[in-house]
Amino acid sequence: MRQFILSLSILILFVFIVSLKTSAQQSPVPLSLDACIDYALKHNYAVKNANIDIQIQHAQNNQVLAAAYPRINGKVELDDFLNPMKTFIDANQFAGKPGHNIQPLAFTLPYAGSASISGSQLIFDGSVWVAVKARNAVMELARQNAEVTNENIRYSVFKAYHALTIAYRQYDIIKSSLGYARKLENDLIITQQNGLAEKIEVERTDVQVNNLASDSIRIGNLLSVSEQVLKYQMGMDINTPIVLTDTNVEVRKQEINSLLDRQSDYTRVPEYNLMQTALLTNQYNVKRYKLAAIPSLSAFGNLGYNYADYSLTQTLNPGNYLFNSLIGLQLNVPIFNGLQRINQLREAKLNVEKSQNNIENIKLTIDFQTAQSRTTLRNSILQVQSQHRNLDLANDVLDLAQKKYKAGVGSNQEVSQAQTDQLRAQTNYFSALMDVINAEADLKKALGLLK
């Protein structure tokens, strides 16, 4: 009975462990290209930090705006003068006597208390006024910085997704070729055992199988790396299983061809808009330092109660306190600050000039990248068409060689050579296809179409 209970316990424990492992296995997540981009724009850490930068800029704008709001402070104070400072006087001067009679005299009582509330309001300050006006431009600068980050993430995910798609297709083809080569090797071994094939034919086929197996391992590793790159760009856990749904790269031909006719528009490019906003913020800086030379005006006021006595008890009695108040205007006139403002203004003007140069440079860069990407895309399209024709021919040659071999009028060497040529044609085709995808991504980025 004890043995039965022990066996039953072990069985239950085994079922429990198996159920845990089964539940721990995740189902592959189906991902389209758009889904990958959407996921990346939510989970990529560079995007998250760019969004945090927007919030930081919003907080900084509120700090600037706070300078235009009233300032109100309250204060309660209780003083115990343990050893009050004394003032020295000539007692004979008060008595009308000749000579000097210097005596220390304390005018401060031992205990004193006060309670007050003070406030101030800036009426006019040129630099603050400009800073308040510029806060929208600065906020837009932060948003455009985030948009540049988003575009770079879209660009990276776009290329990584298609690189993984092509790696999957290469892997499937190499596995299919490896399976056929192994079948051919087994047939040759049987044929050799029957005395109808030479050993060199088997060894030649064995070499091809080994090469295909090595290529399969290499492409499998490349597939794993490409998948990790895509997950990294997305901000996804690299252990999450995924399956791609947009695997038919050839359907993009119409969209790719339409790109060649799209005209450039600087305002679509996030980097260009970023430079324009940077110029605007630098122009605001010039205004700010110019207006810093103008006097600033502010109002202030103070309301309070105070009392002093020899007794701490009397000092703590609110009924003894006397009311006092004060209001006033303060005009601050900048006269000389060691040429600091002049040099700040000079720096701001130079930054404006630098921003203008950056705008002209980004326009040249966009024009260059657009022209280069168009040329590269045209050449890549022609190359992929040529490689596709070569692949079709290689497929036809392999098919014919296989039929001849099955009919007994062809050799296995002819089949192996045709298969090698087909694999080379497939490699060239996929390489050309990847060049087209990369050129498409580059042209879309240059045209500002990676949305």
Side-chain angles (χ1 to χ4, degrees), residues 18 38 40 50 53 86 106 122 136 262 312 321 382 388 392 426:
V18 170
D38 291 340
D53 287 339
K86 296 179 175 58
L122 182 66
N136 290 333
R262 292 296 296 267
L312 177 61
Y321 281 73
L382 294 175
H388 192 274
D392 289 339
Q426 287 172 343

Side-chain angles (χ1 to χ4, degrees), residues 206-269:
D206 187 48
V207 170
Q208 185 183 25
V209 169
N210 291 335
N211 290 336
L212 287 173
S214 299
D215 289 340
S216 177
I217 295 173
R218 177 180 57 82
I219 296 177
N221 292 333
L222 175 64
L223 184 64
S224 177
V225 171
S226 298
E227 184 174 306
Q228 291 174 3
V229 169
L230 176 60
K231 292 175 184 177
Y232 170 76
Q233 297 294 347
M234 293 169 58
M236 176 182 282
D237 183 1
I238 61 173
N239 295 316
T240 303
I242 62 173
V243 57
L244 305 187
T245 58
D246 293 339
T247 56
N248 191 358
V249 182
E250 284 82 357
V251 299
R252 305 186 59 82
K253 289 180 180 179
Q254 184 176 357
E255 181 181 355
I256 290 173
N257 288 327
S258 67
L259 280 177
L260 297 173
D261 300 324
R262 292 296 296 267
Q263 298 299 316
S264 298
D265 184 356
Y266 297 135
T267 59
R268 285 199 306 254
V269 182

